[in-house]
Amino acid sequence: MRAIMQFLMQSFVGAVSLTAIWLVSFFIYGQTVLLTSLFSAIGGVLTYAATKQIMDYRFVKSQGLTKKEYKFIDANLKEARGKITRMQKALFKVRSFQHARENLTIVRTAQKIYNNARKEPVRFYQAERFFYNHLDSLVELSERYAYLSSQPSPSIEMQKSLKETRQTLTAFSPTIKKDLQVMLRDDLETLDFELDVAKKTLRRSKK
């Protein structure tokens, strides 16, 4: 959502700048249509780029991060996005009604962690175990599970491996849920505090 709003704002400012430069160059300075169009295009692009830099700087500053930290987190999140997509494709490739709900829960939980970190990059540090360890394991297990499930005539060993892989995937579901809880722990503590304050206020009002 932030990326869409930022793009719309940059486009709006760039378009306004382009139009203003064109009008000034053509009507006030009497430039040719070709030069006017060239100046306005350059001005619009530069304004668009400058607006992007300003908005990015303000966002990073509001998160309490340095530019270097934000680039580091952004690079890790882009990599994580690719891993989550791979995991999702692998799990949804397996047509198993029995495990469909569990697979969907795993994918949704991973996406929630990613979306929270994308929305507020500083939260990335609260979910480092997920991004550095658990996500890689999930991708590997999901792709292995999809491969074993797709075999037309699995051997006894393959069936055993498939069962073990499924059990390990199942065990990871509460693990990443805990990663999400750790990520949101500060929010929950703040909410509990606000609820306590609200309850005390109600008690005083009744008295």
Side-chain angles (χ1 to χ4, degrees):
M1 182 61 73
R2 185 189 73 86
I4 296 174
M5 293 301 296
Q6 182 171 326
F7 173 75
L8 291 174
M9 178 61 71
Q10 291 167 199
S11 300
F12 174 75
V13 174
V16 170
S17 175
L18 185 149
T19 304
I21 293 172
W22 198 97
L23 293 172
V24 171
S25 297
F26 186 77
F27 290 107
I28 297 180
Y29 290 102
Q31 299 292 334
T32 63
V33 174
L34 182 61
L35 283 175
T36 298
S37 299
L38 179 62
F39 292 153
S40 61
I42 293 173
V45 170
L46 290 175
T47 304
Y48 179 91
T51 304
K52 183 179 185 306
Q53 291 293 325
I54 292 171
M55 294 185 74
D56 284 344
Y57 173 76
R58 287 182 175 178
F59 176 70
V60 172
K61 190 176 181 181
S62 70
Q63 293 293 307
L65 299 169
T66 64
K67 190 174 181 180
K68 185 177 180 180
E69 287 174 328
Y70 177 72
K71 284 185 175 181
F72 170 78
I73 293 173
D74 188 57
N76 277 276
L77 289 178
K78 286 178 180 177
E79 185 178 347
R81 176 71 265 175
K83 292 177 181 178
I84 292 173
T85 300
R86 283 171 54 193
M87 178 184 68
Q88 182 175 336
K89 286 181 179 178
L91 289 177
F92 289 172
K93 192 183 294 182
V94 181
R95 300 185 180 279
S96 171
F97 180 77
Q98 181 182 359
H99 301 296
R101 185 175 181 180
E102 191 173 81
N103 292 344
L104 183 61
T105 299
I106 291 173
V107 172
R108 282 181 173 175
T109 304
Q111 287 178 335
K112 283 180 182 179
I113 295 173
Y114 169 84
N115 290 335
N116 284 330
R118 175 57 70 186
K119 185 179 179 181
E120 298 179 57
V122 72
R123 290 184 183 271
F124 174 84
Y125 296 117
Q126 297 171 321
E128 285 183 307
R129 290 184 64 189
F130 170 79
F131 288 110
Y132 290 144
N133 297 314
H134 299 159
L135 181 56
D136 289 332
S137 298
L138 278 170
V139 174
E140 183 181 347
L141 287 167
S142 300
E143 292 180 339
R144 182 183 178 187
Y145 180 64
Y147 170 75
L148 292 172
S149 298
S150 66
Q151 300 307 304
S153 301
S155 63
I156 296 176
E157 289 184 0
M158 291 179 68
Q159 290 178 3
K160 182 181 178 182
S161 181
L162 177 63
K163 184 178 180 181
E164 290 176 350
T165 303
R166 181 68 249 177
Q167 289 174 343
T168 308
L169 267 173
T170 301
F172 256 105
S173 185
T175 299
I176 62 172
K177 282 182 180 179
K178 187 175 181 181
D179 290 336
L180 180 60
Q181 291 172 358
V182 170
M183 193 181 207
L184 301 176
R185 185 165 52 199
D186 291 343
D187 289 349
L188 294 173
E189 289 176 355
T190 301
L191 180 61
D192 288 340
F193 174 76
E194 290 175 351
L195 285 172
D196 288 339
V197 173
K199 288 177 181 178
K200 289 179 181 178
T201 303
L202 286 172
R203 291 194 196 102
R204 290 172 183 173
S205 298
K206 288 180 181 179
K207 289 180 182 180

